[in-house]
Amino acid sequence: MEFTLDRRSVLLTGTLGLGALAIPGFAQTATVASRRGFTHAVASGEPASDSMLLWTRYVPADGGAVELKVELSETPDFARVAGGGVQITGPWRDHTAKITVAGLQPGTAYHYRFIAPDGSMSPVGTTKTLPVGKVRRFRAAIFSCSNMAFGYFNAYAHAVARDDLDLAVHLGDYFYEYKPGGYPALKDTIGGRIPLPASELLHLADYRLRYGSYRADPDLQALHAKLPMIVQWDDHESANDSWEGGAQNHQPDEGEWDLRKAAAIQAFREWMPVSDEPWKAYDIGGLATLFRTETRLLARTAQPDIAPLLKDKDPVAALTAFRDGAWMDPGATMMGSQQENWLGHAMRSSVKAGQTWQVVGFGTIMGQTMTPANALDWITKDAPQRTRNYVTTGLMASKAGLPNNMDNWGGYPAARARFLKSAQEAGANLVVISGDSHNAWAYDLPQDGRAAGVEFAGHAVTSGGYESALSADPRIVAAALVKASPELKWCDTSRRGYMALTITPDRVTNDWLMSDDVKTKSAGASVGHTATVTRGRNVMA
């Protein structure tokens, strides 16, 4: 269903921001000025064994401040309230409310709802606290890269239909900041799935409106209402290829980067069921510790740009010099020294406390992928020049022994080495989970000739992958990538979906669920591949 806004509504949007907008679902269209009440259902996050953060959005009739209550119960009839809280919200926080309720029981499923001063109630959500003690199994659905315009969020729908999940994890690119037609092109956009606003996101009102547009999707609402979610941003929650001091998709005529970055962070913290802590650890009983990290906006240094080296009179020599020099700069960082220090200590503490597994979520891939020598043969005849440039750059990089992506951990080898060494020194059973690439990957992660951990990298919910620019059979592409990349053990470059990670005391198993389709509405999916790591090995079985 297409969003329909008349000229008056658009003018009001620009004047009032999202504080006056609410879209209850794709089946209904409303003007900006008329929507009131609970506008975007409910969500939960930041799970602990005895607490949970609960989220909603409520706009009162006068558009001003309001005090909301929340209550939890172990039964859907709320016959016995097990906990609750209150919060005053208003236009200063876009009418969103986040209440952390303490005093809960571990490993317990709860129903929850918000109550407005007029007695109206939000939809009821369900959530579950983390367990304590001995845990035999824990399963999480892992998502990334959900671009509304590319297709339906069928991966969310499939996860909602399951009854065996304990948690949802979103590793970033929860939405995209481009103007409609920017990515994807309008010709590739699914009818009706054009998010608001009709411009690139630059200001706080823009980011708020884009969240409101995405959060109106019924499958995303259903996922939030069913499972607690641990969520972290990657780059598109701000701008493409963002780092501390800028982004590829931020130009000088678009204002100060720091103002745009602050707006993106504020809107994220308003609209997501997440605390204001930039990184955090979550203990899953004695089974595992899951780490939420931040690798984009707070301390990341600028990505290396090797494209200018290709214009050198001797590009091979220039790339070789880069490989042996600037590429290894220890000052280049994804996390910054403070977070690196925290994560190293936290992994050691997890191991000492008896947690079997250390699961670390990163926005971008850590494993190295090399470009095969025949990659140019895969490109479609009508592929844009930027695609040819990307492949050509990757080919030249691989000839010099460099990975093909400098925006992920491939551009920060010293920082990668520090992290993997800290995991080895801690004696961690390390499992890295990551997103960003739109494709599915499984890597072994060595350091100094020894196994340090494994990585399960997730494919996109909807965003296009390699297949959008390649004419070759995806099986041929995958086989060549694996052959060219020593760390890569398996990949799929043509399908969308999500990962389901199952943690047990003896092994961690990851399923890559492949959606039947994203161009039509369907909750169908099947397991495309399964990978396993056993305790104490740090390599895939």
Side-chain angles (χ1 to χ4, degrees):
M1 183 71 69
E2 187 173 359
F3 292 117
T4 303
L5 293 177
D6 57 25
R7 181 175 180 276
R8 177 174 178 271
S9 299
V10 173
L11 290 174
L12 284 169
T13 305
T15 303
L16 302 177
L18 192 55
L21 173 67
I23 306 167
F26 281 74
Q28 294 180 319
T29 302
T31 64
V32 172
S34 65
R35 257 320 139 185
R36 293 293 186 268
F38 290 101
T39 68
H40 287 78
V42 295
S44 65
E46 299 296 354
S49 62
D50 61 352
S51 65
M52 187 70 67
L53 183 152
L54 305 174
W55 179 99
T56 195
R57 183 172 186 271
Y58 180 87
V59 183
D62 63 1
V66 65
E67 183 169 282
L68 300 177
K69 298 179 181 179
V70 70
E71 56 186 22
L72 295 91
S73 175
E74 294 184 35
T75 59
D77 60 3
F78 289 84
R80 179 180 175 274
V81 175
V86 296
Q87 183 182 4
I88 297 172
T89 186
W92 61 88
R93 56 180 302 119
D94 207 15
H95 299 282
T96 60
K98 295 193 297 187
I99 301 174
T100 297
V101 180
L104 305 179
Q105 296 301 309
T108 302
Y110 289 96
H111 303 264
Y112 66 98
R113 65 189 180 190
F114 286 82
I115 305 171
D118 63 2
S120 62
M121 296 182 181
S122 71
V124 174
T126 57
T127 192
K128 188 177 181 181
T129 52
L130 296 180
V132 297
K134 184 176 290 188
V135 181
R136 301 306 305 171
R137 192 189 77 170
F138 191 88
R139 181 169 287 162
I142 302 168
F143 305 93
S144 62
C145 305
S146 41
N147 189 316
M148 177 184 289
F150 268 111
Y152 293 96
F153 292 158
N154 293 333
Y156 296 156
H158 186 272
V160 169
R162 300 176 63 154
D163 294 321
D164 61 345
L165 296 173
D166 300 293
L167 178 70
V169 177
H170 206 295
L171 294 172
D173 297 344
Y174 183 94
F175 71 32
Y176 284 70
E177 84 285 6
Y178 297 104
K179 66 181 181 180
Y183 180 70
L186 287 176
K187 67 181 179 64
D188 299 318
T189 297
I190 297 298
R193 294 183 66 80
I194 300 177
L196 300 173
S199 62
E200 184 181 341
L201 310 186
L202 298 175
H203 309 293
L204 180 58
D206 301 333
Y207 285 97
R208 285 172 166 175
L209 186 52
R210 187 62 56 90
Y211 276 110
S213 191
Y214 269 66
R215 289 291 294 274
D217 182 273
D219 294 318
L220 181 51
Q221 284 195 5
L223 179 65
H224 275 301
K226 183 169 184 177
L227 293 169
M229 180 181 284
I230 294 174
V231 59
Q232 59 193 63
W233 62 59
D234 191 35
D235 54 341
H236 289 291
E237 288 87 349
S238 54
N240 183 53
D241 289 358
S242 53
W243 58 284
E244 182 184 13
Q248 178 275 330
N249 194 26
H250 182 78
Q251 313 310 319
D253 63 353
E254 293 177 327
E256 293 292 332
W257 166 248
D258 284 347
L259 295 178
R260 184 177 184 180
K261 180 172 74 171
I265 291 173
Q266 179 176 335
F268 176 88
R269 288 175 173 168
E270 289 171 347
W271 277 86
M272 292 289 95
V274 66
S275 71
D276 290 349
E277 299 159 282
W279 47 79
K280 195 170 182 177
Y282 308 83
D283 288 334
I284 304 169
L287 184 63
T289 304
L290 173 61
F291 298 94
R292 168 169 64 84
T293 67
E294 195 290 316
T295 57
R296 274 292 174 190
L297 298 178
L298 302 185
R300 180 198 271 245
T301 50
Q303 305 90 331
D305 181 9
I306 65 173
L309 301 179
L310 303 184
K311 300 177 182 179
D312 191 270
K313 61 181 180 180
D314 188 348
V316 174
L319 286 168
T320 302
F322 167 76
R323 181 198 65 198
D324 297 337
W327 186 54
M328 296 301 299
D329 184 355
T333 178
M334 292 277 273
M335 294 188 287
S337 59
Q338 181 183 355
Q339 187 180 182
E340 282 187 13
N341 182 64
W342 166 80
L343 185 54
H345 279 86
M347 285 193 294
R348 286 196 293 274
S349 296
S350 173
V351 172
K352 289 180 180 179
Q355 268 86 1
T356 304
W357 299 96
Q358 288 67 46
V359 182
V360 182
F362 290 127
T364 58
I365 290 174
M366 179 164 281
Q368 289 191 352
T369 306
M370 315 299 282
T371 300
N374 64 333
L376 280 174
D377 298 338
W378 304 340
I379 300 176
T380 58
K381 293 181 180 179
D382 60 348
Q385 188 59 43
R386 65 177 180 274
T387 300
R388 294 185 177 277
N389 292 342
Y390 179 84
V391 175
T392 300
T393 301
L395 283 170
M396 294 297 294
S398 292
K399 288 180 180 179
L402 293 165
N404 65 10
N405 190 337
M406 294 292 159
D407 180 58
N408 66 20
W409 287 86
Y412 305 81
R416 173 188 137 129
R418 290 194 296 269
F419 167 73
L420 292 177
K421 286 179 181 178
S422 70
Q424 290 174 327
E425 292 167 358
N429 284 291
L430 175 66
V431 176
V432 170
I433 54 175
S434 58
D436 178 67
S437 78
H438 305 178
N439 299 287
W441 316 84
Y443 299 88
D444 284 335
L445 299 175
Q447 179 59 42
D448 296 330
R450 297 186 295 117
V454 302
E455 179 175 19
F456 303 134
H459 43 329
V461 172
T462 60
S463 301
Y466 276 30
E467 80 287 351
S468 60
L470 303 184
S471 59
D473 186 325
R475 293 170 295 182
I476 294 175
V477 173
L481 286 165
V482 170
K483 184 178 180 180
S485 310
E487 295 180 359
L488 180 62
K489 304 307 171 185
W490 169 85
C491 68
D492 182 289
T493 63
S494 65
R495 292 180 285 181
R496 314 279 74 81
Y498 71 104
M499 300 191 299
L501 188 76
T502 302
I503 309 172
T504 68
D506 297 325
R507 67 187 63 243
V508 173
T509 301
N510 191 68
D511 293 332
W512 283 264
L513 277 297
M514 307 301 184
S515 296
D516 291 347
D517 188 23
V518 298
K519 303 300 184 183
T520 59
K521 193 84 169 67
S522 168
S526 59
V527 176
H529 185 71
T530 299
T532 299
V533 57
T534 57
R535 181 178 181 180
R537 292 291 310 280
N538 278 331
V539 294
M540 271 174 276

